[in-house]
């Protein structure tokens, strides 16, 4: 009898032990499973964070490279434009220095006096047709200017101006308040200002 009771107690203890062990193993498996899931989630989150960081870094690097390239192109373009403007100015100055010398040589020739007379006659027979009084003619210091002016407009008031350096006339119709600039200086300046466009050396902005 006692032996049977002892056996029952022993079996109960064994069953209880097995229950405790099984329960512990289940809890351990659950904890391990939860830990593994948490680990996977952490790894996935870290990988996603690393991917985003890499994309942002790549974007920043690409933007930096593009900005550096843009600055380099802008600087190179500005340098080229500066060099082109400098070269064009050199060409323009050389061309108009020669032209100025040619004009000065022309104003010292007999052809210049004839040119002045033709110019004034054209004005007298055109815009100033029929007028002899109320005319003022501004001339350079070249004596040929005064001679031609008085030959065509004998009653004109003659004034000498230091502003007219190359030659020609400024004719004023005092009565009507109209002025005709027939100076070589104005023609020279106009051709110089038009030179970039008409010479084919215009530089676009």
């Amino acid at each position: 009898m006692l032996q049977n009771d002892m056996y029952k107690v022993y079996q109960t203890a064994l069953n209880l032990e097995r229950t405790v062990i099984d329960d512990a193993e289940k809890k351990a498996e659950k904890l391990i499973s939860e830990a593994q899931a948490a680990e996977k989630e952490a790894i996935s989150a870290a990988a996603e964070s690393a991917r985003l960081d890499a994309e942002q870094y790549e974007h920043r690097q690409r933007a930096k490279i593009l900005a550096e390239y843009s600055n380099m192109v802008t600087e190179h373009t500005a340098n080229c434009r500066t060099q082109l403007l400098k070269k064009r100015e050199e060409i323009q100055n050389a061309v108009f220095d020669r032209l100025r010398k040619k004009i000065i040589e022309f104003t010292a020739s007999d052809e210049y006096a004839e040119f002045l007379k033709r110019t004034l006659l054209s004005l007298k027979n055109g815009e100033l047709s029929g007028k002899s009084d109320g005319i003022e003619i501004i001339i350079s210091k070249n004596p040929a200017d005064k001679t031609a002016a008085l030959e065509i407009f004998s009653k004109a008031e003659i004034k000498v101006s230091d502003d007219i350096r190359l030659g020609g006339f400024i004719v004023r119709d005092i009565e009507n308040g109209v002025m005709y600039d027939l100076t070589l200086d104005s023609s020279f300046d106009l051709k110089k200002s038009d030179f970039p466009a008409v010479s084919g050396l215009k530089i676009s902005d």
Side-chain angles (χ1 to χ4, degrees):
M1 212 40 200
L2 180 60
Q3 198 172 22
N4 288 335
D5 290 339
M6 291 292 294
Y7 179 76
K8 288 180 181 179
V9 170
Y10 177 73
Q11 287 296 324
T12 300
L14 286 177
N15 291 336
L16 181 61
E17 180 183 9
R18 172 52 52 191
T19 301
V20 171
I21 291 173
D22 289 345
D23 186 55
E25 288 180 347
K26 288 179 181 179
K27 288 182 178 180
E29 288 177 357
K30 182 179 179 183
L31 289 174
I32 291 171
S33 177
E34 290 176 351
Q36 289 175 339
E39 181 183 15
K40 288 181 180 179
E41 184 177 349
I43 291 172
S44 177
E48 179 64 14
S49 177
R51 184 185 68 79
L52 292 175
D53 288 344
E55 288 181 354
Q56 291 175 0
Y57 176 78
E58 180 183 1
H59 177 74
R60 289 194 300 270
Q61 288 299 106
R62 186 184 297 114
K64 180 180 178 181
I65 291 171
L66 288 175
E68 290 175 351
Y69 176 75
S70 177
N71 291 336
M72 184 174 64
V73 170
T74 300
E75 183 179 357
H76 180 70
T77 302
N79 289 337
C80 288
R81 178 177 173 78
T82 299
Q83 292 300 317
L84 286 172
L85 287 171
K86 182 178 179 181
K87 180 57 66 176
R88 187 183 71 182
E89 185 177 3
E90 290 175 359
I91 294 172
Q92 179 170 305
N93 288 339
V95 168
F96 282 89
D97 283 347
R98 289 196 298 270
L99 178 58
R100 184 184 294 275
K101 290 177 182 177
K102 291 287 187 183
I103 291 174
I104 292 172
E105 291 175 2
F106 172 66
T107 57
S109 69
D110 294 336
E111 288 83 0
Y112 176 61
E114 293 302 318
F115 163 77
L116 295 175
K117 292 175 185 178
R118 288 197 305 270
T119 302
L120 287 175
L121 277 173
S122 176
L123 183 63
K124 183 177 183 179
N125 295 329
E127 290 84 349
L128 298 179
S129 178
K131 289 189 66 69
S132 59
D133 298 325
I135 301 296
E136 178 184 82
I137 302 178
I138 304 170
I139 63 175
S140 73
K141 292 180 179 180
N142 190 330
D145 291 8
K146 184 175 182 180
T147 300
L150 291 176
E151 183 175 334
I152 306 303
F153 289 98
S154 58
K155 295 181 180 181
E157 180 183 354
I158 306 298
K159 292 183 178 180
V160 178
S161 172
D162 292 332
D163 293 334
I164 304 176
R165 294 181 174 85
L166 295 177
F169 310 99
I170 295 176
V171 180
R172 292 182 58 207
D173 179 354
I174 298 173
E175 182 182 349
N176 295 313
V178 180
M179 183 179 73
Y180 304 92
D181 190 341
L182 306 175
T183 61
L184 296 176
D185 302 67
S186 294
S187 179
F188 180 87
D189 292 340
L190 180 60
K191 287 184 180 299
K192 192 171 184 178
S193 65
D194 289 343
F195 179 77
V198 301
S199 65
L201 297 176
K202 185 176 181 180
I203 299 173
S204 301
D205 295 329

